[in-house]
Amino acid sequence: MTFAQEQAVFYFDNNKFELNKVEAAKLQKWIAENKTSKILSITGSTDEVGSTGFNDTLSQKRVSHIFNQIKGKVNIRPDFKSISLGEKGATSANKAENRKAIIHYLLEKDLDKEDEVLGIKEAEPEVIIPDDAPLAEKVKLAKVGTKITLKNINFYQNTFATMPESQGTLYDLLFVMQNNPELIIEIQGHICCIDKDYRNLSTDRAKQIKRFLVYNGIQDYRVKTKGFGVSQPIYPIPEATPEQAAANRRVEIEILSKK
């Protein structure tokens, strides 16, 4: 069984934005028959006679006229859309057929399928990634766009050379990349304690980690790099404690693509 939006079309006389008696009666009949329906949008259009600006205004007035007639009498979706097409809505060779307003709506029987009809997908539940989970588990749980801080990545002061205690995390990242051949990441560097990354140290540190991965066989295109300097601190700079400085001075990976 399929579901679709319904349409009701009402026509206007030349250069008029109020319905004539015949069309007004048709609208009142539609209102009486659709008190349990729900309006999604109203689209107005004109013929191609007159200036573009005049026609845009006229079509909007036609939409407003219809809206004012139905307001409070028929249910209207909270994100209701008023669409003024002007002469862009002139799709018929018959000018009279282009001077119209169209109500797009759902019948009561289809309201339980409202999101399906409109193509609205239910939001996916947020994935909580435990902070103490292994890196492989974090990457497995992560969605595209997720950022993961690489813990225990440390550099010698004012350089991009990694300290020996960084090796464990570097190899964890290498194994993750080896075991997930579709995975593409961006390594993002951040520094602390100063007002500007004058030497592009955050970029160089990100590139140093990429060098390690590429040297160990990871394809170059799978590893992007970016340095953010001090533009995205976790704690305000200057940091109040060494712990805050350490949190700001970090390396993250962002998941760009995964299978």
Side-chain angles (χ1 to χ4, degrees):
M1 185 175 182
T2 59
F3 306 88
Q5 298 179 31
E6 307 289 334
Q7 293 187 1
V9 185
F10 302 92
Y11 295 96
F12 295 80
D13 292 336
N14 188 36
N15 290 339
K16 301 294 184 181
F17 59 85
E18 294 182 340
L19 295 171
N20 61 33
K21 289 184 179 180
V22 173
E23 291 296 304
K26 189 170 78 172
L27 175 60
Q28 292 306 315
K29 182 175 184 293
W30 180 87
I31 291 172
E33 294 173 348
N34 285 276
K35 293 185 181 298
T36 57
S37 298
K38 180 179 283 188
I39 295 172
L40 308 176
S41 65
I42 303 175
T43 302
S45 61
T46 68
D47 56 34
E48 296 175 298
V49 178
S51 70
T52 299
F54 175 83
N55 288 333
D56 286 344
T57 300
L58 181 59
S59 65
Q60 183 57 60
K61 286 182 176 180
R62 287 172 174 172
V63 169
S64 297
H65 175 71
I66 296 291
F67 179 81
N68 289 332
Q69 297 299 308
I70 62 178
K71 184 171 58 176
K73 300 174 184 176
V74 182
N75 294 324
I76 299 176
R77 188 175 166 86
D79 60 353
F80 162 82
K81 292 180 175 59
S82 167
I83 305 170
S84 173
L85 295 176
E87 62 191 48
K88 294 190 292 293
T91 56
S92 172
N94 184 338
K95 289 184 173 58
E97 293 180 353
N98 294 324
R99 300 190 289 265
K100 65 183 183 291
I102 304 174
I103 300 175
H104 305 269
Y105 65 102
L106 290 178
L107 296 171
E108 182 181 20
K109 68 181 181 63
D110 292 335
L111 291 181
D112 61 335
K113 300 290 185 180
E114 184 173 348
D115 287 348
E116 180 182 338
V117 171
L118 296 177
I120 299 173
K121 296 182 179 179
E122 184 177 350
E124 294 184 16
E126 182 180 358
V127 176
I128 305 299
I129 301 178
D131 187 58
D132 58 352
L135 181 59
E137 183 66 17
K138 290 181 178 180
V139 171
K140 181 179 178 180
L141 292 173
K143 300 177 181 178
V144 171
T146 300
K147 294 186 180 185
I148 301 170
T149 299
L150 297 179
K151 295 190 173 183
N152 301 317
I153 293 287
N154 295 307
F155 300 86
Y156 288 102
Q157 188 173 5
N158 295 325
T159 76
F160 55 79
T162 57
M163 300 180 73
E165 60 262 31
S166 305
Q167 291 299 301
T169 300
L170 288 174
Y171 277 99
D172 283 345
L173 180 58
L174 174 63
F175 296 149
V176 166
M177 298 296 290
Q178 290 173 334
N179 293 328
N180 297 273
E182 303 296 324
L183 180 64
I184 298 176
I185 64 172
E186 180 174 80
I187 302 173
Q188 301 176 349
H190 304 264
I191 62 172
C192 71
C193 312
I194 59 176
D195 60 352
K196 186 176 180 181
D197 187 6
Y198 295 96
R199 297 169 50 200
N200 291 322
L201 193 56
S202 61
T203 301
D204 288 340
R205 287 178 171 178
K207 288 180 177 179
Q208 180 69 358
I209 295 175
K210 174 175 180 173
R211 288 189 195 98
F212 169 82
L213 295 174
V214 172
Y215 177 80
N216 284 282
I218 303 302
Q219 297 98 319
D220 182 273
Y221 76 90
R222 295 179 57 202
V223 188
K224 316 296 183 183
T225 59
K226 191 169 186 177
F228 286 96
V230 291
S231 65
Q232 296 185 4
I234 296 174
Y235 297 100
I237 295 174
E239 296 85 354
T241 65
E243 290 75 21
Q244 290 185 3
N248 284 346
R249 185 178 61 246
R250 67 195 187 280
V251 175
E252 296 173 325
I253 61 169
E254 179 175 348
I255 309 299
L256 300 183
S257 178
K258 61 179 294 192
K259 191 171 182 179

